[in-house]
């Protein structure tokens, strides 16, 4: 059956997640003949990954419209900390 385009944040995030897996599924054994296909799929996945972000931003506004800025600041800080701490930890372990 025909499904209408995504209308809410969860459908949009799900649509973004499907496209992100296309290059991974296709790149089992990369060869020169698959290079153009893998490049096109990777480009599409990165571009369509914006669907995931649009659902994320809209969801914050749905949860707490008056405090969305504070919630985004806290959630982005918490999401950034592992990237900073893991790099520092890796450097410490390797030295």
């Amino acid at each position: 059956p025909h499904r209408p385009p995504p209308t809410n944040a969860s459908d949009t995030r799900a649509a973004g997640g499907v496209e992100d897996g296309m290059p991974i599924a296709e790149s089992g054994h990369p060869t020169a003949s698959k290079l153009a296909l893998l490049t096109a799929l990777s480009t599409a996945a990165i571009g369509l990954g914006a669907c995931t972000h649009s659902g994320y931003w809209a969801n914050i506004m749905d949860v707490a419209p008056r405090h969305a800025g504070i919630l985004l600041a806290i959630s982005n800080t918490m999401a950034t900390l592992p990237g900073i701490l893991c790099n520092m930890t890796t450097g410490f372990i390797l030295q």
Side-chain angles (χ1 to χ4, degrees):
H2 176 67
R3 182 172 184 205
T7 55
N8 62 32
S10 61
D11 285 347
T12 307
R13 284 193 320 269
V18 170
E19 285 88 7
D20 290 343
M22 289 187 310
I24 297 169
E26 186 60 35
S27 65
H29 298 287
T31 61
S33 62
K34 282 188 175 181
L35 184 60
L37 174 64
L38 292 175
T39 302
L41 287 175
S42 296
T43 303
I46 291 169
L48 293 170
C51 292
T52 305
H53 297 294
S54 67
Y56 169 75
W57 298 114
N59 197 26
I60 294 288
M61 290 298 294
D62 290 341
V63 171
R66 291 182 59 195
H67 304 289
I70 294 170
L71 283 175
L72 284 172
I74 292 170
S75 65
N76 283 340
T77 300
M78 297 307 282
T80 302
L81 287 176
I84 295 169
L85 296 175
C86 287
N87 285 331
M88 292 170 38
T89 303
T90 301
F92 177 75
I93 291 170
L94 293 177
Q95 287 185 3

